[in-house]
Amino acid sequence: MCIVEDTIVGTEAVQIPLQRGASLLETAVRYAEERHWDVFPGTWLEAADGVQYCSCGDTACALPGAHPAREDWATQATGSATVARRLWSQQPTASILMPTGRAFDTVSVPETAGFLALARMKRMELTLGPVTLTPDRRMHFFVLPGGAAKTPDLVRKLGWAPSSLDLVTLGEGSYVAAPPTRYGSRGAVQWACRPSAANRWLPDVEELISPLAYACGRDR
């Protein structure tokens, strides 16, 4: 089963580095090089008088150090390890953001529902993709691109009104923050289920939506 900070084993495992002590530059490069995920640098944290502020300059920033730094971020995203290295060399402390709707979509649920869904998926022996856990207590389940468009109808078929569940899908035009990006003083994004050789092929959202919707229904 996937757990936070689960280590990657096996000679053929994808060697995404562990979060503690990992360089943002090298991590971004490896996401592009080893998973073929597009990445782009976001904002970063700046310290003033012992307090960390977002580089965007907004002292009330909702996602300090963890949102796009440019309006044209979608055109900046790259799957090239060489370009990623150059981008983070210019600002080594920039957050690592990844556009959804390209290599993957994500299904975002509250942390409590996410762990309940993970336990249920284990009993069902479902094959998971990577899953992140964010400091704002959300879990993002990576699924095949196109999942965001299909989810509302799938939820309705399960007997739920999409608006009644705290289940959010991110597809084209959106992004997620990747480990080890930090949200100000709230902590860092972590892997609840780390990228590995076993989950290189992502599940379709249809395979995961039932336990996710069930967990969100229980969590209301």
Side-chain angles (χ1 to χ4, degrees):
M1 185 59 190
C2 305
I3 57 173
V4 174
E5 292 292 353
D6 190 18
T7 54
I8 299 175
V9 296
T11 57
E12 297 181 356
V14 177
Q15 296 301 308
I16 300 297
L18 292 174
Q19 292 149 219
R20 296 190 179 94
S23 156
L24 287 162
L25 185 154
E26 291 300 331
T27 304
V29 167
R30 292 193 177 195
Y31 287 146
E33 187 172 61
E34 298 177 4
R35 294 298 291 206
H36 305 295
W37 288 338
D38 284 4
V39 294
F40 66 97
T43 53
W44 56 93
L45 296 173
E46 297 179 335
D49 298 325
V51 179
Q52 289 187 321
Y53 296 99
C54 185
S55 62
C56 72
D58 182 359
T59 55
C61 181
L63 294 172
H67 64 86
R70 301 166 36 161
E71 291 186 1
D72 64 343
W73 60 264
T75 63
Q76 189 185 27
T78 180
S80 164
T82 300
V83 175
R85 184 176 296 279
R86 174 171 55 80
L87 290 173
W88 267 271
S89 293
Q90 295 169 4
Q91 181 49 255
T93 59
S95 53
I96 303 174
L97 305 180
M98 302 189 295
T100 50
R102 299 187 184 184
F104 57 83
D105 285 1
T106 71
V107 182
S108 169
V109 299
E111 175 186 305
T112 49
F115 280 116
L116 177 61
L118 284 175
R120 191 172 179 85
M121 290 172 187
K122 179 181 179 181
R123 293 194 298 271
M124 297 170 69
E125 298 184 345
L126 295 179
T127 301
L128 287 173
V131 181
T132 60
L133 175 62
T134 66
D136 56 357
R137 305 181 73 84
R138 304 286 298 184
M139 293 179 76
H140 289 264
F141 290 73
F142 286 39
V143 297
L144 287 172
K150 294 191 290 186
T151 296
D153 283 343
L154 293 172
V155 170
R156 290 188 191 96
K157 289 178 181 178
L158 292 170
W160 297 95
S163 60
S164 70
L165 300 179
D166 188 1
L167 185 153
V168 180
T169 53
L170 300 179
E172 186 175 358
S174 296
Y175 67 91
V176 292
T181 295
R182 297 191 65 83
Y183 284 28
S185 60
R186 284 179 275 173
V189 183
Q190 304 178 61
W191 288 115
C193 185
R194 291 179 54 78
S196 70
N199 62 24
R200 177 175 288 277
W201 303 109
L202 299 178
D204 192 287
V205 69
E206 294 182 37
E207 301 172 55
L208 306 185
I209 197 62
S210 177
L212 286 171
Y214 170 83
C216 287
R218 286 282 303 272
D219 193 51
R220 290 190 303 172

